[in-house]
Amino acid sequence: LLDQDAMKQKAMAKMSRPQYNVQNFYHDKGWAQRVARSAAFEYATLIVIALNALWIAIDIDYNDAQYLVEAHPIFQVGENLFCCYFTGE
């Protein structure tokens, strides 16, 4: 019932598409694109994500405050550091 040649052509067309890479949309000049393309920035961001996951676990276990402004200063500083990094990212 299905046309095998048409199915093969459709499958080949999908496989021959270039793989999506967000870096293809970056500008070619400037310091921001150079930083965003660097492996060091990518690894640093992955480390910060892992540290943020750990921080969330610590925050859940030890921070009893309902609002950040009521929390111990270490929790306020930690949250704001992560916020600054992810905003700058």
Side-chain angles (χ1 to χ4, degrees):
L1 296 173
L2 299 174
D3 184 15
Q4 288 182 353
D5 289 331
M7 288 175 59
K8 287 179 185 177
Q9 287 177 348
K10 189 175 179 180
M12 290 300 289
K14 284 188 177 185
M15 289 190 309
S16 65
R17 283 189 204 158
Q19 188 174 8
Y20 176 80
N21 186 351
V22 72
Q23 292 181 1
N24 294 338
F25 299 102
Y26 292 171
H27 290 279
D28 295 326
K29 297 176 185 172
W31 64 271
Q33 63 84 26
R34 197 173 321 122
V35 170
R37 291 177 197 265
S38 74
F41 179 71
E42 184 176 345
Y43 293 131
T45 300
L46 289 174
I47 290 169
V48 171
I49 290 170
L51 290 173
N52 187 243
L54 181 63
W55 180 255
I56 290 170
I58 292 169
D59 186 44
I60 288 171
D61 286 344
Y62 297 107
N63 183 9
D64 294 328
Q66 185 172 2
Y67 301 105
L68 186 58
V69 296
E70 299 170 352
H72 188 275
I74 192 70
F75 294 107
Q76 294 179 17
V77 170
E79 291 294 330
N80 283 293
L81 288 174
F82 285 114
C83 181
C84 287
Y85 182 83
F86 289 125
T87 299
E89 178 200 20

